[in-house]
């Protein structure tokens, strides 16, 4: 069961609201996201692409640009090795488009999830050698490929790593010893001595920074960089990066351009999902368009998504977009089946007592492991790993909670795994089947999560805000959690403002209004309240606060009500939510 904690960080919300012409509720949300100070608030609300930091601030950028400038002049063969998820595919496309524009002799290879696995492997180095490749440029991978990059160096190749994953390290005498691959240049803002201010870029934006610097070196008009904003937005949202600072600016700009994109592949993907007339938001990237791009890497080959972005004709793009949309529908059905099996295993075995869930689904498609792990995390509010049977070892993905750094915990179990990498909130690994039980046992023995950690849900706010958003914001991880919060407003003597749950994603006004009228018992919102004689039947102002796959959370205001009255009522009862009602 989740325990709800309302963030109540202090600031003069009325003053901020007046200064920036926003509702004080929005000011509170911004403060709760740790955006502090006039300049940071201004950037958050009004930031423009002109404020994005220079790519030259990134460690090794000048070295990386010098290398490719020389290789392009020599017409040396360059190979981009990407990844099969949305970030890897868009990273690959950005590098391919950009390097082609400045005259590089370049090709690409996106590893097959099943046949190749994640990132660079020895057979890919051998293949590059056979193909006469001089220089390898990685994107969205490479930072953990020390042995493979050394192999490439031994074969006389030049290697440039562009990545955004955590820097590998090992613990020695209580100190962290960083392990960097022997690449000729490494572009990764997470390097400890990298001065680039934004450490939370996705792989595609790291690639975009590289192309930005190369365009400057080669004298390409700055306006041509605008073609990359929508791709940066897709990857940033699809790879679940924080939407603050540079990321927020890029997503805002990318969304603005996506509706009128010149890319035939994106045009047809939007059309295949019936979004031609919609205002495309981060939600559509995260839950409609993005999963279609990811689907080919999960169930087929990510090369098909790259073909979509590279499509030159509407006819070619339409066929590929239709195929990807159909693949995504198949993926949804397979995911549901795998999730149900995982829940059955947890509920009928000792797994339910573990603080860190490790579920082995040998017959599940390995590409679905991360999605299912995410569903388990949502259901149980515990870190969750889902492992599947691979050709030579088990493979899997993990999804974490805020109080558990998944990558750091994997480092402690490194001797049990074949390969691993990731972030605090998500990770991937391969492991011998015979080590799975020991892996599960060691993770739980090392786990320092308390019952409070596992019960506490820290509310996050919906990332898709505009100046008209209003109301109490609390994004839920499950329908049960949303209902728990909403029932705190149940049976109050002041019938004014309420939180309300609507099951399912009901985004159209008429659907929401119809649902509220239909269910007269829905958190005392519908119907005619009887405790105040002047209260009116519901003909309300309501604000969708956030939604997930289970529900939409609304703030509903009766036409006679004001927020301060219910806050006063709660305060008189000593209720902890009084400050945020």
């Amino acid at each position: 069961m989740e325990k709800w904690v309302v963030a109540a960080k202090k600031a003069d919300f009325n003053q901020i609201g007046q200064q920036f012409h926003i509702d004080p509720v929005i000011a509170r949300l911004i403060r709760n996201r740790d955006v502090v100070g006039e300049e940071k608030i201004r950037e958050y609300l009004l930031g423009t692409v002109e404020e994005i930091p220079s790519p030259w601030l990134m460690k090794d950028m000048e070295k990386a640009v010098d290398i490719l400038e020389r290789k392009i002049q020599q017409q040396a063969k360059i190979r981009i090795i990407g990844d099969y998820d949305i970030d890897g595919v868009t990273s690959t496309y950005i590098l391919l488009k950009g390097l082609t524009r400045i005259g590089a002799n370049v090709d690409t290879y996106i590893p097959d999830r099943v046949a190749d696995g994640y990132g660079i492997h020895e057979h890919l180095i051998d293949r590059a050698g056979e193909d006469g490749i001089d220089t390898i440029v990685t994107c969205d991978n490479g930072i953990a490929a020390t042995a493979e990059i050394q192999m490439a160096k031994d074969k006389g190749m030049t290697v440039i790593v562009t990545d955004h994953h955590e820097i590998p390290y090992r613990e020695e005498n209580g100190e962290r010893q960083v392990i960097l691959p022997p690449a000729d240049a490494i572009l990764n803002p997470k390097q400890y001595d990298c001065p680039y201010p934004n450490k939370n870029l996705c792989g595609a934006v790291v690639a975009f920074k590289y192309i930005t610097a190369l365009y400057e070196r080669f004298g390409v008009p700055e306006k041509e960089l605008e073609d990359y904003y929508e791709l940066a937005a897709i990857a940033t949202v699809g790879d679940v990066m924080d939407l603050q600072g540079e990321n927020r600016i890029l997503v805002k700009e990318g969304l603005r351009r996506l509706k009128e994109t010149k890319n035939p592949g994106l045009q047809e993907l939007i059309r295949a999902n019936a979004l031609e007339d919609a205002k495309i938001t981060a939600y559509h990237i995260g839950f409609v368009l993005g999963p279609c791009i990811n689907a080919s890497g999960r169930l087929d080959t990510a090369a098909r998504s790259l073909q979509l972005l590279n499509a030159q004709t509407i006819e070619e793009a339409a066929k590929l977009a239709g195929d990807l949309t159909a693949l995504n529908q198949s993926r949804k059905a397979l995911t549901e089946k795998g999730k149900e099996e995982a829940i059955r295993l947890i509920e009928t075995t000792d797994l339910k007592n573990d603080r860190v869930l490790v579920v082995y689904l040998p017959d599940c498609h390995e590409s679905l492991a991360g999605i299912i792990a995410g569903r388990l995390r949502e259901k149980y509010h515990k870190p969750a790993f889902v492992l599947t049977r691979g050709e030579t070892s088990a493979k899997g993905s993990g999804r974490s909670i805020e109080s558990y750094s998944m990558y750091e915990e994997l480092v402690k179990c490194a001797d049990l795994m074949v390969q691993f990498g990731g972030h605090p909130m998500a990770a991937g690994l391969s492991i011998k089947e015979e080590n799975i039980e020991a892996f599960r046992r060691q993770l739980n023995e090392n786990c320092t999560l308390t019952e409070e950690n596992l019960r506490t849900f820290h509310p996050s706010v919906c990332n898709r805000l505009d100046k008209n958003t209003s109301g109490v914001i609390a994004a839920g991880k499950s329908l049960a959690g949303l209902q728990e919060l909403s029932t705190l407003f149940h049976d109050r003597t002041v019938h004014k403002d309420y939180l309300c749950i609507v099951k399912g994603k009901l985004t159209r006004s008429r659907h929401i209004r119809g649902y509220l009228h239909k269910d007269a018992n829905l958190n005392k919102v519908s119907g005619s309240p009887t405790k105040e004689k002047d209260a009116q039947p519901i003909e309300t102002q309501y604000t969708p606060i956030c939604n997930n796959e289970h529900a939409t959370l609304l703030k509903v205001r009766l036409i006679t009500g004001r927020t301060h009255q219910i806050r006063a009522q709660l305060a008189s009862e000593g209720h902890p939510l009084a400050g945020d009602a």
Side-chain angles (χ1 to χ4, degrees), residues 234-253:
I234 289 170
T236 297
V237 174
D239 217 36
V240 200
M241 298 291 105
D242 291 339
L243 294 186
Q244 293 194 21
E246 177 177 1
N247 289 345
R248 188 175 187 84
I249 292 169
L250 286 171
V251 170
K252 182 170 66 174
E253 189 66 23

Side-chain angles (χ1 to χ4, degrees), residues 373-397:
R375 302 286 170 81
L376 297 181
R377 175 197 57 193
E378 289 182 5
K379 179 174 177 63
Y380 295 102
H381 195 61
K382 295 178 178 181
F385 290 90
V386 172
L387 304 174
T388 66
R389 181 178 290 138
E391 291 188 355
T392 59
S393 63
K395 297 180 181 180
S397 295

Side-chain angles (χ1 to χ4, degrees), residues 12 63 83 125 153 175 182 221 242 258 293 384 390 475 486 493 509 531 544 556 578:
D12 187 341
K63 186 189 297 185
D83 186 26
I125 304 297
K153 296 297 296 176
E175 294 185 358
D242 291 339
L258 190 55
I293 295 173
S486 66
T493 56
S509 300
K531 293 184 181 180
V556 178

Side-chain angles (χ1 to χ4, degrees), residues 536-552:
Q536 300 294 320
I538 218 165
E539 180 57 35
T540 64
Q541 301 170 8
Y542 58 85
T543 306
I545 301 305
C546 61
N547 58 41
N548 62 19
E549 63 179 337
H550 304 293
T552 297

